[in-house]
């Protein structure tokens, strides 16, 4: 089981920056894939960024070059640095974790489904 708690959200003006944090309680945090999702009112939840157990990152096109995901395995923490924010970034942001599994044919780990979620934290960007 993994418990996730987000912090660092709030209100900011367009062009500003915020850093979201996620504290994870897991004995083997470093073995999980971690991700940030967001959901705006009336819209589906979308994946914003992911980071694998080896540190590889993937970003949604809408945030590339503006957001940076990072993890601190020593402190069971996940971060999302958000720069040049716009009103379109306004949403509830969620931290999520996925167990990993070893692919026998490739010998590489892959992320399973994101089964563990934080309660979410609001980010509001005013234009």
């Amino acid at each position: 089981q993994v418990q996730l708690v987000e912090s660092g959200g709030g209100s900011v003006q367009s062009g500003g920056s915020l850093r979201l944090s996620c504290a994870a309680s897991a004995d083997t945090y470093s073995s999980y894939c971690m991700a940030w999702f967001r959901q705006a009112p009336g819209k589906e939840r979308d994946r914003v960024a992911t980071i694998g157990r080896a540190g590889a990152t993937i970003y949604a096109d809408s945030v590339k070059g503006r957001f940076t995901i990072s993890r601190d395995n020593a402190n069971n923490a996940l971060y999302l640095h958000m720069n040049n924010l716009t009103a379109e970034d306004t949403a509830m942001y969620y931290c999520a974790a996925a167990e990993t599994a070893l692919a026998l044919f490739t010998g590489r780990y892959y992320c399973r489904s994101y089964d563990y979620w934080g309660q979410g934290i609001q980010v509001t960007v005013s234009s």
Side-chain angles (χ1 to χ4, degrees):
Q1 282 286 345
V2 180
Q3 293 184 334
L4 304 169
V5 179
E6 301 95 339
S7 62
S11 297
V12 65
Q13 289 190 331
S14 181
S17 299
L18 279 175
R19 187 185 82 160
L20 303 183
S21 301
C22 175
S25 63
D27 292 337
T28 58
Y29 171 75
S30 62
S31 71
Y32 287 83
C33 290
M34 300 298 298
W36 288 98
F37 289 74
R38 69 184 181 186
Q39 186 169 20
K43 295 186 178 180
E44 295 185 352
R45 186 176 297 186
D46 292 326
R47 189 181 311 183
V48 174
T50 62
I51 185 166
R53 55 186 289 164
T57 57
I58 300 174
Y59 296 93
D61 287 343
S62 59
V63 306
K64 280 181 182 177
R66 300 188 299 121
F67 290 12
T68 303
I69 188 171
S70 61
R71 65 190 299 166
D72 179 353
N73 290 336
N75 293 297
N76 284 17
L78 178 73
Y79 303 102
L80 185 68
H81 297 257
M82 305 183 292
N83 296 319
N84 196 20
L85 287 161
T86 72
E88 286 67 40
D89 297 314
T90 295
M92 187 73 78
Y93 284 71
Y94 297 89
C95 171
E99 297 177 347
T100 57
L102 182 64
L104 297 179
F105 289 108
T106 64
R108 300 177 68 176
Y109 286 93
Y110 65 93
C111 305
R112 306 186 72 173
S113 60
Y114 285 91
D115 293 331
Y116 305 99
W117 295 84
Q119 80 285 355
I121 194 161
Q122 180 68 36
V123 171
T124 302
V125 184
S126 57
S127 56

